[in-house]
Amino acid sequence: MSGGLSSVSFPKNAHAALANPPLLKAIAHIEETLVSGRRRAIDALPEFEALRDAGRDIKAHTLKHLDLYLEAFEKKVLEAGGFVHWAADAAEASRIVLDICQAAGARQVTKGKSMITEEVGLNAFLEANGITPVETDLGEYIIQLRAETPSHIIAPAVHVNKEQVAADFRRVHTNLDPRRNLDEPTSLLSEARGVLRERFLAADVGITGANFLIAETGSTVIVTNEGNGDLTQILPKTHIVLASIEKVVPTLEDVATIMRLLARSATGQEMSVYTTFSTGPRRAGDPDGPEAFHVVLLDNGRSAMLGTEFEDMLRCIRCGACINHCPVYRSIGGHAYGSVYPGPMGSVLTPSLHGLEKSAHLANASTLCGRCESVCPMRIPLPKMLRHWREKEFERHLTPKKARYGLAAWRFLATRPRLYGMVTRFAAWGFARFAGKKGALSQVPLAGGWTRWRDLPAPEGGTFRTEWAKRGRK
Amino acid sequence: MTTPKPRIGLFVTCLVDFFRPTVGFSAVKLLEDAGCEVSVPAAQTCCGQPAYNSGDRAGARALAEQVIALFETFDHVVVPSGSCTGMIKMHYPDLFSGEPDWRLRAERLAAKTHELTSFLVDVLGVAPLPINWEGTATYHDSCSGLRELGIKAQPRQLLSAVEGLAVREMRDPEACCGFGGTFCVKYDEISNAIVDRKAADIRATGADVLLSGDLGCLLNIAGKLKREGSRVEVRHIAEVLAGMASGPAIGETRK
Ligand code: SF4
């Protein structure tokens, strides 16, 4: 069970993940599926780099005028007969959703896949208030059965293997024929479909997220691969869209541009299988659609990022490419982060949403290798922002004492070249002598973090500067 | 009339100074063979990267000032490391925002600072003296060199001119090795998982030597291979290019 993990215990969480072979095996698949899929899709699209610039510019422009575009969006939603609610934080968003559900007399709600509902903890809140939420995305459905949280923003159950899913289905779907074959992903999918079909029909309210909000038309857009989002929002009488404020873009055409980046970066598809635009409730003459259409716009720390060094993060379209390419995520999976959003994007976003005190590990647990930035379709400078969090941590004296003293000692020494020369000369000589014929040491005092896993190569002997001076050179 | 030789300030880096002087001497040889006049200012220590990546801007700035003052009079500054070059080239100017004088000096230094292989290929455009070195190598792209400076083709181009040397690419040469400066001791268990994959990729090539342009990665990878009992040798690319790769490899001693 992962829901209880916290970012504060990140090293412990990581330790547990590294001792979990089925988990490591499951996340290793990201290479053959998402990473190579993205590579193929991008190699086939020569204008990809130009599209990245265009996508970045659209979002950067929108963020500069976010208030105007949000107001325009609200106006259009109202004109189409929908409602818009503004939520400052997670508690307010949950409250608003609950009020709408209660006013609709809802007992059961179906949900499309949405990270924002995870961010606000909506499922637990609804349950505590007597309303049963049913996840309809296969991955989300699986982790709901397992009482877990998503370990990836686009592949929530990426940490689970198919044997585990089969066992979960047999445990929960009690009228399941024990002879039913559940060996293949397709048979698992059809089993889930069968169960979900009844839930779709019984639901009073459907809740989805949004990949985009369009200011020009007042539409909300979701992209899915299973079509579950459409059934979630079409069948119940009430449709609630819960979306964060940075999802807004000016026009339909902007959506078309960014969509070309989204699926390719996420799964390597040219387009997701379903792309659904919703504009207001059902109109007279519409064959289907909800009778009531609500959009809940969540801030939750985002407007405070505007105008700061973290503004660029609000360009994120949640494709997950940075996560898939992150060597740290690929070593430990998503739950170890102890945050709603894992990987590089999560490590930048989480301190903004929940405060740096509880999440300082996240910004530090990165090699700053830069692969995340190199694949980010919105060209978000993730390493730079991770470093900004480290700076804030240092300024606020949150950096652990040992590291602070180490840095102070290094600065003292390194800004005194003569002393530095003496100390390093002596240390290199002593170290090399100590290593003797071995060339590398398997145990070094104060370097336990290194030598637990690797030998420490010994210095050659004299430092470069001494050897250089010996040759009479300048 | 002969054109004056370009005056190069070599920033050897703190890791090369301490662990692997041979890399410094190899760099000097490559630059002198290419017709440069090389100086190594004695008061150099560290570029400030550990402080910068730990959020200690003031500490990084203090070291940046020192490097700028020591090196700004040279025609070019050359560094046998992608990450230290990246620090000077991409991050120094940033440390002095709001201080126009210092910022200008930082920008001027950034503009004439180059990673060694990129300097040889992109700036000088000369081929190193022909050398012969028998073996099969695989090349690890260090993260900063690759993604901050775009160094990818240069080392391979230089290696392709080495007589007797075959280069066999690993599965994902652009994957991080897990070093990450202080990351490798702060999150040592994760760092180990990452370098474990790198070591496996290296072994899978069947190459007998692993080369790269950054001593941080090399110490990490050499330490892992050594712990695993692997016989793959680990060296800085400059040693091979300069024909100075006959001594013990990183983490080895004279047999
Ligand atoms: S930060 Fe970039 S790569 Fe990561 S999820 Fe967001 S858009 Fe995708």
Side-chain angles (χ1 to χ4, degrees):
Chain A
M1 161 93 201
S2 54
L5 292 185
S6 113
S7 306
V8 178
S9 54
F10 175 82
K12 263 203 206 131
N13 309 345
H15 174 79
L18 285 163
N20 183 346
L23 167 72
L24 302 181
K25 203 166 156 226
I27 50 183
H29 286 305
I30 291 177
E31 179 72 32
E32 308 114 57
T33 52
L34 301 176
V35 169
S36 28
R38 174 189 174 276
R39 181 77 270 149
R40 271 195 303 276
I42 282 162
D43 287 346
L45 188 72
E47 69 266 37
F48 189 74
E49 292 305 314
L51 268 176
R52 287 174 80 185
D53 291 339
R56 173 200 55 204
D57 293 348
I58 290 168
K59 281 282 197 175
H61 165 86
T62 314
L63 291 170
K64 288 278 168 279
H65 311 281
L66 191 61
D67 49 344
L68 298 181
Y69 285 115
L70 284 169
E71 281 165 19
F73 171 77
E74 178 183 37
K75 192 161 162 268
K76 288 288 172 185
V77 175
L78 297 176
E79 278 172 25
F83 301 94
V84 175
H85 314 262
W86 300 81
D89 56 23
E92 198 177 351
S94 302
R95 188 78 238 170
I96 294 167
V97 172
L98 179 67
D99 286 348
I100 300 169
C101 290
Q102 285 175 338
R107 310 295 311 251
Q108 271 209 34
V109 304
T110 43
K111 287 184 64 210
K113 184 179 149 16
S114 143
M115 285 307 296
I116 293 295
T117 62
E118 298 288 343
E119 183 181 321
V120 305
L122 187 65
N123 285 3
F125 183 76
L126 291 178
E127 271 168 44
N129 286 282
I131 294 175
T132 309
V134 178
E135 295 290 350
T136 65
D137 169 87
L138 180 61
E140 290 283 346
Y141 179 71
I142 291 167
I143 60 164
Q144 191 181 26
L145 291 188
R146 299 172 61 83
E148 290 182 333
T149 51
S151 69
H152 189 292
I153 60 173
I154 65 153
V158 71
H159 59 288
V160 186
N161 60 41
K162 62 181 198 295
E163 290 74 25
Q164 291 169 313
V165 178
D168 288 325
F169 281 7
R170 292 197 198 280
R171 176 171 57 81
V172 179
H173 298 176
T174 39
N175 50 5
L176 181 62
D177 181 348
R179 284 163 306 179
R180 166 117 193 224
N181 177 321
L182 290 179
D183 291 348
E184 288 309 313
T186 45
S187 56
L188 290 170
L189 185 62
S190 67
E191 169 59 22
R193 279 215 172 116
V195 172
L196 285 172
R197 192 156 304 138
E198 294 161 27
R199 304 295 181 88
F200 280 125
L201 295 168
D204 308 298
V205 174
I207 301 175
T208 66
N211 292 89
F212 306 96
L213 307 170
I214 307 176
E216 175 186 47
T217 61
S219 314
T220 70
V221 185
I222 56 169
V223 298
T224 73
N225 279 321
E226 296 164 22
N228 61 305
D230 302 270
L231 296 177
T232 301
Q233 65 184 46
I234 286 170
L235 296 177
K237 287 207 170 96
T238 303
H239 176 201
I240 306 174
V241 179
L242 181 55
S244 51
I245 51 175
E246 83 283 11
K247 295 284 171 195
V248 73
V249 292
T251 65
L252 263 171
E253 198 178 328
D254 295 331
V255 171
T257 304
I258 298 177
M259 283 237 287
R260 299 186 70 199
L261 291 161
L262 177 56
R264 287 180 172 89
S265 301
T267 52
Q269 292 164 287
E270 285 176 15
M271 283 271 277
S272 302
V273 180
Y274 299 90
T275 301
T276 311
F277 294 74
S278 314
T279 316
R282 164 196 241 162
R283 293 161 302 190
D286 279 355
D288 53 27
E291 286 164 21
F293 177 73
H294 296 268
V295 184
V296 182
L297 292 173
L298 175 72
D299 184 335
N300 210 24
R302 288 165 175 82
S303 57
M305 293 163 75
L306 292 169
T308 72
E309 55 269 75
F310 301 106
E311 178 172 311
D312 292 343
M313 191 60 220
L314 296 173
R315 295 203 299 265
C316 176
I317 54 173
R318 306 289 191 268
C319 71
C322 57
I323 298 173
N324 301 334
H325 290 76
C326 175
V328 174
Y329 181 94
R330 293 276 295 274
S331 301
I332 59 174
H335 286 152
Y337 289 80
S339 53
V340 173
Y341 302 99
M345 55 79 71
S347 298
V348 173
L349 203 55
T350 305
S352 295
L353 304 182
H354 303 298
L356 184 57
E357 286 72 12
K358 288 190 204 128
S359 51
H361 269 302
L362 302 184
N364 286 289
S366 162
T367 63
L368 301 180
C369 79
R371 213 167 198 181
C372 48
E373 180 177 359
S374 76
V375 297
C376 175
M378 305 310 285
R379 297 199 193 280
I380 298 174
L382 293 151
K384 187 169 137 194
M385 287 188 287
L386 291 171
R387 206 183 279 113
H388 279 319
W389 278 125
R390 297 180 188 187
E391 285 166 4
K392 300 242 177 266
E393 187 194 12
F394 193 85
E395 280 163 20
R396 292 186 209 161
H397 293 264
L398 296 170
T399 309
K401 276 218 180 66
K402 210 168 123 191
R404 283 192 89 87
Y405 292 151
L407 288 167
W410 181 248
R411 175 178 174 176
F412 180 86
L413 203 59
T415 47
R416 288 169 178 74
R418 289 172 70 90
L419 179 65
Y420 180 93
M422 272 158 37
V423 172
T424 49
R425 191 160 64 231
F426 178 73
W429 172 82
F431 195 165
R433 235 183 99 98
F434 186 58
K437 289 219 180 62
K438 290 203 301 250
L441 291 168
S442 55
Q443 270 185 345
V444 182
L446 300 179
W450 182 286
T451 51
R452 234 169 108 200
W453 312 102
R454 330 155 244 232
D455 289 356
L456 184 58
E460 291 180 301
T463 63
F464 178 83
R465 296 193 317 171
T466 10
E467 298 299 313
W468 184 249
K470 273 191 204 155
R471 295 174 201 201
R473 304 244 352 216
K474 284 234 173 80
Chain B
M1 219 184 90
T2 56
T3 46
K5 291 181 167 187
R7 291 174 49 253
I8 309 293
L10 180 69
F11 184 71
V12 284
T13 79
C14 59
L15 288 181
V16 165
D17 180 56
F18 186 77
F19 281 101
R20 196 77 180 159
T22 300
V23 175
F25 287 110
S26 304
V28 171
K29 175 160 193 307
L30 287 166
L31 292 167
E32 288 182 342
D33 286 350
C36 300
E37 186 190 308
V38 182
S39 307
V40 188
Q44 59 176 289
T45 60
C46 161
C47 68
Q49 221 181 144
Y52 187 60
N53 285 343
S54 302
D56 176 9
R57 273 179 87 90
R61 192 187 178 288
L63 288 168
E65 272 185 31
Q66 186 171 295
V67 172
I68 293 169
L70 267 180
F71 283 91
E72 62 191 344
T73 55
F74 291 101
D75 296 336
H76 302 281
V77 179
V78 174
V79 191
S81 153
S83 75
C84 308
T85 308
M87 180 68 204
I88 298 173
K89 235 178 148 51
M90 314 306 286
H91 303 297
Y92 271 15
D94 207 46
L95 285 171
F96 300 99
S97 48
E99 301 168 85
D101 295 348
W102 268 112
R103 191 177 168 107
L104 188 66
R105 289 171 73 182
E107 278 169 358
R108 287 205 177 123
L109 186 75
K112 60 183 175 185
T113 299
H114 306 276
E115 185 274 341
L116 177 66
T117 62
S118 141
F119 184 70
L120 294 173
V121 173
D122 304 331
V123 180
L124 294 180
V126 294
L129 297 181
I131 57 152
N132 189 300
W133 204 69
E134 292 292 328
T136 309
T138 189
Y139 190 84
H140 163 69
D141 294 293
S142 86
C143 296
S144 315
L146 176 73
R147 282 178 276 267
E148 287 193 324
L149 307 170
I151 295 167
K152 174 91 187 170
Q154 299 89 328
R156 288 173 175 77
Q157 183 184 326
L158 293 168
L159 287 175
S160 70
V162 175
E163 195 82 27
L165 182 69
V167 175
R168 214 177 280 161
E169 294 290 348
M170 65 184 105
R171 184 185 60 86
D172 188 3
E174 300 183 1
C176 177
C177 76
F179 174 64
T182 55
F183 171 86
C184 71
V185 287
K186 275 198 224 154
Y187 300 97
D188 56 295
E189 213 177 346
I190 303 173
S191 171
N192 175 56
I194 302 173
V195 72
D196 207 47
R197 292 197 291 272
K198 181 57 74 174
D201 287 353
I202 293 168
R203 275 183 279 128
T205 63
D208 37 46
V209 54
L210 177 272
L211 301 175
S212 187
D214 247 287
L215 199 52
C217 315
L218 290 166
L219 292 168
N220 183 36
I221 296 170
K224 186 71 204 174
L225 288 169
K226 182 103 181 153
R227 178 65 58 94
E228 289 178 342
S230 160
R231 306 182 69 90
V232 176
E233 274 191 6
V234 176
R235 292 182 184 278
H236 192 285
I237 181 174
E239 302 172 27
V240 173
L241 297 176
M244 294 174 79
S246 52
I250 295 170
E252 306 289 337
T253 42
R254 253 161 262 288
K255 308 236 164 63

